[in-house]
Amino acid sequence: MTRYGPMFGPDYTFLGVPACDWQEPATYADADVVIVGAPFDGGTSHRPGARFGPQVIRGTDYLPHDGSRPHMSMRVDALENVKDAGDLEVYSGEIQRSCGIIEDAVAFIAKNGAIPVILGGDHTVTWPDVAGVAKNYKNISVIHFDAHADTGDIEFGSLYGHGQPMRRLIESGAVRGDRFLQVGLRGYWPGPETLDWMADQGMNSFHMSEIVVQGLDTILDRAFEIALDGCEGVFLSVDIDVCDPGHAPGTGTPEPGGLTSRQLLDAVSRICHELPVVGMDIVEVSPPFDHAEITAMLGNRVVLEALSGMARRRKDAGGPPWNRATPLLAGRGTQKDEPA
């Protein structure tokens, strides 16, 4: 089977990185990361359109799509050793079939040594994304940015949808409840019964009110300690609606009062730099509800910050970690040695 390419729109890779075929490991043997699209929004409960997310996340950037993005401060190229396998062929009317296709592909990519970065799609896809990665590790933790807990049980008469993937993952044993960390929750769903179930699983769910009082960095410090306790790696799941709708209007279930885009980008960068991330997805970017490409641009930058953090972590291996407070121009120009 050849590379499928995008299901919706022209066939182009993420900012011009080389293409590969996820079913042919030789085509990404030299890649650290393989990007794959999961354009599924058949689990959406409110506004659809996230099936068009992978296309805009790949291409919304005013710079040349030349397969290179040197990070100004981290001094690595975000797109070095990154390849794009195109979109998986999924079917919005068939949740379980589509999730099976996604899980098989993600598991295969991880098995063959690359970190899968999945472009959604609604949050249903995190169920197969995490399950696929988890097949290759004894224990992984999940750090989940979202306005919503997505721990519902039966919604609209179904066990499957974008409000239930985290419950399905914990119930299946793919991830321990006490190694599931949620950041940015707010609004008026889920209700008390579901919150009780989450507490019984030992989940760590941080409401926006806690973030306001304690600060995001403090919350992340606590989350990192828990995520690394007895786990080989971390899966990062970013629902774009974790940001306030003023920063991400193009999403299916917007909820006022969220993170700023700056906070989200800094958090993603920290996670991918400081933790052993073994998989990632970004979901719920819904172009039909976007304005002036605000959400599409943020989705693109979330991926770039994650890739930069991963690249910096690889560069730091065996040496002192990059100091994020290093002045932008230190060590540049005639002084070529990189600062410690």
Side-chain angles (χ1 to χ4, degrees):
M1 178 179 177
T2 59
R3 177 177 179 275
Y4 189 79
M7 282 188 72
F8 305 102
D11 185 1
Y12 52 77
T13 64
F14 185 85
L15 301 181
V17 301
C20 69
D21 181 342
W22 71 266
Q23 293 180 303
E24 298 292 341
T27 66
Y28 54 92
D30 58 343
D32 295 306
V33 175
V34 169
I35 293 171
V36 62
F40 177 86
D41 64 4
T44 304
S45 61
H46 189 42
R47 306 192 308 196
R51 69 183 66 183
F52 304 110
Q55 180 188 11
V56 301
I57 293 170
R58 282 186 174 101
T60 306
D61 191 339
Y62 55 84
L63 296 170
H65 295 196
D66 57 3
S68 178
R69 281 296 180 278
H71 195 284
M72 290 175 65
S73 68
M74 299 187 83
R75 305 175 190 230
V76 290
D77 190 333
L79 301 183
E80 186 176 5
N81 299 328
V82 175
K83 292 194 174 181
D84 190 335
D87 285 349
L88 300 171
E89 187 174 1
V90 293
Y91 311 91
S92 283
E94 301 183 45
I95 290 184
Q96 289 174 276
R97 179 185 177 192
S98 296
C99 286
I101 291 168
I102 296 167
E103 182 176 335
D104 288 346
V106 170
F108 191 80
I109 291 167
K111 179 181 178 181
N112 283 283
I115 298 173
V117 171
I118 303 99
L119 313 179
D122 72 42
H123 223 150
T124 306
V125 306
T126 295
W127 171 37
D129 292 346
V130 176
V133 170
K135 287 181 176 179
N136 296 278
Y137 297 90
K138 184 177 293 185
N139 284 302
I140 64 170
S141 58
V142 174
I143 298 181
H144 166 209
F145 285 82
D146 204 331
H148 312 97
D150 293 352
T151 48
D153 188 9
I154 299 174
E155 303 289 337
F156 301 99
S158 176
L159 288 167
Y160 311 107
H162 75 163
Q164 298 126 289
M166 311 317 167
R167 183 183 286 242
R168 300 288 87 90
L169 281 168
I170 293 171
E171 288 178 338
S172 72
V175 181
R176 289 167 46 179
D178 62 351
R179 293 298 177 269
F180 214 109
L181 301 114
Q182 302 182 306
V183 180
L185 303 186
R186 60 192 189 277
Y188 297 86
W189 184 90
E193 282 189 15
T194 301
L195 295 174
D196 288 344
W197 180 88
M198 292 163 60
D200 289 341
Q201 311 313 306
M203 295 181 71
N204 298 272
S205 302
F206 300 101
H207 192 270
M208 277 302 302
S209 59
E210 298 174 75
I211 295 171
V212 169
V213 171
Q214 299 182 44
L216 182 57
D217 279 333
T218 299
I219 295 295
L220 290 179
D221 288 343
R222 289 171 57 194
F224 287 11
E225 290 180 11
I226 297 168
L228 291 176
D229 184 10
C231 292
E232 297 177 81
V234 175
F235 190 99
L236 171 62
S237 184
V238 177
D239 185 330
I240 207 70
D241 73 21
V242 73
C243 284
D244 188 89
H247 295 254
T251 192
T253 46
E255 182 65 55
L259 298 179
T260 66
S261 57
R262 180 69 265 159
Q263 286 177 304
L264 177 59
L265 293 174
D266 286 345
V268 166
S269 178
R270 262 198 76 187
I271 289 166
C272 291
H273 179 214
E274 297 179 26
L275 301 181
V277 172
V278 294
M280 174 192 171
D281 63 25
I282 177 168
V283 300
E284 299 288 354
V285 173
S286 184
F289 296 97
D290 207 1
H291 174 72
E293 300 181 308
I294 294 171
T295 316
M297 181 64 75
L298 177 57
N300 178 275
R301 290 321 196 228
V302 165
V303 176
L304 281 176
E305 286 298 309
L307 295 175
S308 295
M310 293 176 193
R312 187 68 231 186
R313 182 177 178 84
R314 291 193 297 271
K315 190 169 184 178
D316 287 351
W322 173 250
N323 185 345
R324 303 176 69 81
T326 300
L328 178 64
L329 301 181
R332 296 185 182 271
T334 57
Q335 185 182 354
K336 296 298 185 183
D337 291 337
E338 184 175 300

